Amino acid sequence: MMVALLGGCASTAEGSGDKALKVTIPGEPMTIDPNKSIETNGGAVIAQISEGIYRRDADNKVVPGVVEKIVKPTENGTKYTFTIKKQAKWQNGKPVTSQDFVTAMQRNADPATKSQATTDTQYIQNFTAINAGKMDKSKLGVHAITSRTFTIKLSRPVPYMDYEFVNYRPLNTAAIKKYGAKYGSSTSTVVANGAYTISGWSGSNDSWHYTKNPYYWDAKNVKIADVDVQVVKDDNTAQNLFNAGSVDLTAISGQYVKANANNKNMVVTKNGRNNYIYFNSKKKAPANENFRKAISMVIDRKQLAENVLQDGSSASTNIVPKDYATNPTNGKDFIDEVGDLAPTDVAKAKTYWAKAQKEIGEDKVSLDFLVDDIDTEKKIAEYVQGTVQKNLPGVTVNIESVPHATHVSRDFTTDFDITTVGWGPDYPDAQNFLDGMQSSNSINFAHTKDAQYDALMAKVNDTAKYTTAQRYEFEKQADQRLMAIAAVAPTFQTAQAHLVSSKLGGLKWDELASAAGQLQYAYWK
């Protein structure tokens, strides 16, 4: 039944056009299991086939998704009661139930799932104890009251929770029982509740297909019924495919953005995604603070953004991006208040390198630099390699360019000396970026541990005790501490550049939007 639905005839559904939309994606997803996916390609697929408690509308505003309305919390901002839309159904026509949310959240918390995608769900009552194996998953603060009404109890008030609920996606309970850990490993192990169903992805191939889901509650407003997706890692290939009319939507970067500066089909959007270098704290040289400072200070971020990437990206001087978080008291930008915490200073870098040589007891250091096998990351790696080897005699940088899925896997096993990391925001609060560097966080790939930083972040996270203004001040202090020890070396803040067919409308990006776009709002002009 599932195979038949995936390959069905939804393309003739009401309001759809005959022409398939052809899009590219820069890499293969590792998984399309919402409980496990933590990388951009998997997230891009999940966004098309799955819908959470809330969703973002065509103008990128948070609105009700699977549930009937935006809910105001009770019990001092910690308890939410949701009612699922009567029309909300899975691709097999069966209703989305409260149990499907309980299944998803409990599975996410269960340590047996080995989920690394816990950043959004860590706020649920008892999540931490359950995830640590100290409590049964049945004690999680998610409960089905009726088949359509369920509650979520948080451990503390979370001011940005409406943004997080966009990522609280149900899982088909019957499918989880049937496929278990294999759920999301291919299209045959997925049941969609979003605007599209997916077919043709085996778990390793580089093309697949989306078909309009006739059972999606808002199917009448999904105008394009069929979408063909292909993995294209090379920007030149992406541009050529677009120019030839073989694809209608593709992302480009670097010199190709500059080359298309006067192209009316190019759309460039400043993004909240920030990029930096992580240092493996388990290895002698990268664990050394003076060595990290030396590496960071030879990076000319303005030169990297403007002369190397040339894609509209801007220099990044912090783990937190600019034009993203603001002071709740005076409205000033977070980055303007903390200042340039990642300056370029080659002379100081040489001094730090000399200190590091004494502390680690070595005159020469060889570093393996782990990056994706795509144009942008290769350029970053080559630039860093060049400036480090030029300005820090004795340091050798070896570039390891690997497929995105391999890169992510190695990040989680800390199989690198230094590695590129990019983080896109879920909600407009500096905590979204700072949280990942806490010693207990699963995305702290470097295993950096600093007691002072952890203590400050504990205050940031204590929303029951501290006001929004007080939290903001602790965020600044935590940020300044993190950058003072050069825990990360910022590189650039992205700008998303897309080539969009003049015949295609409905797609908008903002600082929180993924590069893939929300295809359910696309239409043929």
Side-chain angles (χ1 to χ4, degrees):
M1 178 63 74
M2 184 180 297
V3 173
L5 284 167
L6 285 171
C9 56
S11 59
T12 59
E14 177 187 353
S16 63
D18 295 331
K19 181 184 175 183
L21 172 62
K22 299 181 184 300
V23 305
T24 69
I25 190 170
E28 305 86 350
M30 293 179 66
T31 177
I32 52 176
D33 179 348
N35 276 171
K36 296 179 180 179
S37 178
I38 198 169
E39 47 83 33
T40 53
N41 298 322
V45 176
I46 291 167
Q48 312 306 333
I49 66 173
S50 177
E51 183 169 279
I53 292 175
Y54 298 156
R55 66 170 179 166
R56 301 182 80 211
D57 67 13
D59 293 316
N60 291 308
K61 292 182 172 59
V62 175
V63 296
V66 171
V67 302
E68 291 184 340
K69 63 181 181 180
I70 299 291
V71 170
K72 290 185 178 180
T74 57
E75 297 184 10
N76 297 317
T78 64
K79 186 176 181 179
Y80 293 78
T81 302
F82 299 102
T83 300
I84 300 170
K85 289 181 171 77
K86 288 182 180 179
Q87 313 97 303
K89 296 180 180 180
W90 295 100
Q91 69 179 74
N92 57 15
K94 294 184 178 181
V96 175
T97 68
S98 297
Q99 182 57 49
D100 294 329
F101 279 99
V102 174
T103 295
M105 298 301 104
Q106 287 187 354
R107 182 170 177 266
N108 183 252
D110 189 346
T113 306
K114 299 180 180 178
S115 175
Q116 295 162 329
T118 58
T119 302
D120 299 323
T121 50
Q122 62 181 315
Y123 314 108
I124 303 176
Q125 187 179 56
N126 296 329
F127 182 93
T128 302
I130 294 165
N131 197 236
K134 298 178 180 178
M135 188 180 290
D136 188 80
K137 65 183 181 181
S138 64
K139 301 295 184 182
L140 188 68
V142 182
H143 300 285
I145 307 303
T146 69
S147 62
R148 288 178 46 226
T149 301
F150 66 99
T151 61
I152 294 181
K153 173 72 173 177
L154 307 182
S155 59
R156 57 183 173 81
V158 180
Y160 40 81
M161 204 63 210
D162 283 358
Y163 292 91
E164 294 287 48
F165 283 144
V166 172
N167 295 315
Y168 277 43
R169 305 175 189 274
L171 288 175
N172 185 276
T173 301
I176 294 300
K177 289 179 179 177
K178 181 176 181 179
Y179 300 114
K182 292 183 178 180
Y183 185 89
S185 59
S186 67
T187 56
S188 62
T189 62
V190 170
V191 182
N193 79 308
Y196 292 98
T197 62
I198 184 172
S199 60
W201 182 62
S202 66
S204 59
N205 57 310
D206 59 4
S207 64
W208 53 90
H209 184 79
Y210 300 133
T211 302
K212 178 178 174 177
N213 180 3
Y215 290 106
Y216 177 51
W217 69 268
D218 199 26
K220 67 179 181 179
N221 289 316
V222 178
K223 303 302 182 184
I224 296 179
D226 293 283
V227 183
D228 294 325
V229 187
Q230 61 177 309
V231 175
V232 178
K233 298 179 181 180
D234 179 72
D235 282 347
N236 185 49
T237 302
Q239 178 182 255
N240 290 341
L241 287 169
F242 182 84
N243 290 338
S246 298
V247 298
D248 306 296
L249 171 66
T250 189
I252 55 173
S253 62
Q255 67 194 58
Y256 300 95
V257 178
K258 188 175 183 180
N260 284 280
N262 298 318
N263 187 342
K264 62 181 181 180
N265 291 321
M266 185 172 74
V267 178
V268 179
T269 311
K270 190 169 183 180
N271 189 256
R273 186 175 180 82
N274 227 14
N275 292 263
Y276 18 85
I277 296 171
Y278 271 23
F279 301 87
N280 187 343
S281 67
K282 303 299 182 183
K283 295 194 175 183
K284 199 170 186 181
N288 183 274
E289 182 179 322
N290 286 316
F291 182 76
R292 297 195 301 268
K293 288 179 177 177
I295 295 292
S296 183
M297 285 190 166
V298 298
I299 299 174
D300 186 330
R301 291 156 178 88
K302 185 176 181 181
Q303 181 183 0
L304 172 61
E306 297 179 2
N307 300 334
V308 178
L309 297 178
Q310 300 182 338
D311 61 357
S313 295
S314 56
S316 177
T317 61
N318 202 294
I319 191 170
V320 178
K322 187 169 171 55
D323 300 324
Y324 167 70
T326 56
N327 188 320
T329 303
N330 56 29
K332 290 184 178 180
D333 188 80
F334 184 89
I335 298 303
D336 291 338
E337 291 203 331
V338 297
D340 183 354
L341 300 183
T344 303
D345 192 325
V346 174
K348 280 189 177 180
K350 291 180 183 291
T351 301
Y352 283 125
W353 169 224
K355 290 180 180 178
Q357 286 172 308
K358 292 180 181 178
E359 290 168 355
I360 64 180
E362 297 176 12
D363 292 329
K364 295 182 179 181
V365 170
S366 179
L367 292 175
D368 290 335
F369 189 10
L370 182 64
V371 300
D372 275 8
D373 60 350
I374 59 174
D375 288 349
T376 299
E377 296 218 350
K378 289 177 182 178
K379 288 176 181 177
I380 297 167
E382 289 167 358
Y383 169 76
V384 171
Q385 180 188 55
T387 192
V388 167
Q389 293 183 171
K390 174 184 175 182
N391 295 301
L392 303 176
V395 182
T396 301
V397 177
N398 307 304
I399 300 171
E400 287 193 85
S401 179
V402 301
H404 179 70
T406 303
H407 186 173
V408 174
S409 295
R410 289 181 58 178
D411 280 344
F412 275 107
T413 56
T414 319
D415 183 14
F416 58 83
D417 293 332
I418 59 175
T419 183
T420 54
V421 175
W423 186 254
D426 299 315
Y427 49 89
D429 190 300
Q431 191 265 2
N432 196 191
F433 285 84
L434 298 171
D435 185 57
M437 290 306 294
Q438 292 182 88
S439 59
S440 60
N441 198 298
S442 64
I443 63 168
N444 182 353
F445 308 130
H447 292 288
T448 301
K449 187 172 184 178
D450 182 76
Q452 187 176 334
Y453 180 75
D454 282 347
L456 286 165
M457 286 304 297
K459 292 182 178 180
V460 169
N461 292 326
D462 194 348
T463 53
K465 183 175 181 180
Y466 299 106
T467 65
T468 301
Q470 289 173 319
R471 287 182 61 253
Y472 182 82
E473 290 304 315
F474 290 134
E475 285 176 332
K476 288 200 298 184
Q477 293 173 32
D479 178 74
Q480 289 163 339
R481 173 60 184 173
L482 190 73
M483 300 308 296
I485 62 174
V488 300
T491 49
F492 69 101
Q493 183 174 342
T494 63
Q496 292 184 152
H498 293 87
L499 293 175
V500 185
S501 170
S502 59
K503 298 177 181 179
L504 186 65
L507 295 176
K508 294 181 181 180
W509 290 269
D510 68 358
E511 69 276 5
L512 298 178
S514 71
Q518 299 189 92
L519 302 181
Q520 73 184 81
Y521 302 123
Y523 60 86
W524 296 117
K525 295 179 181 178

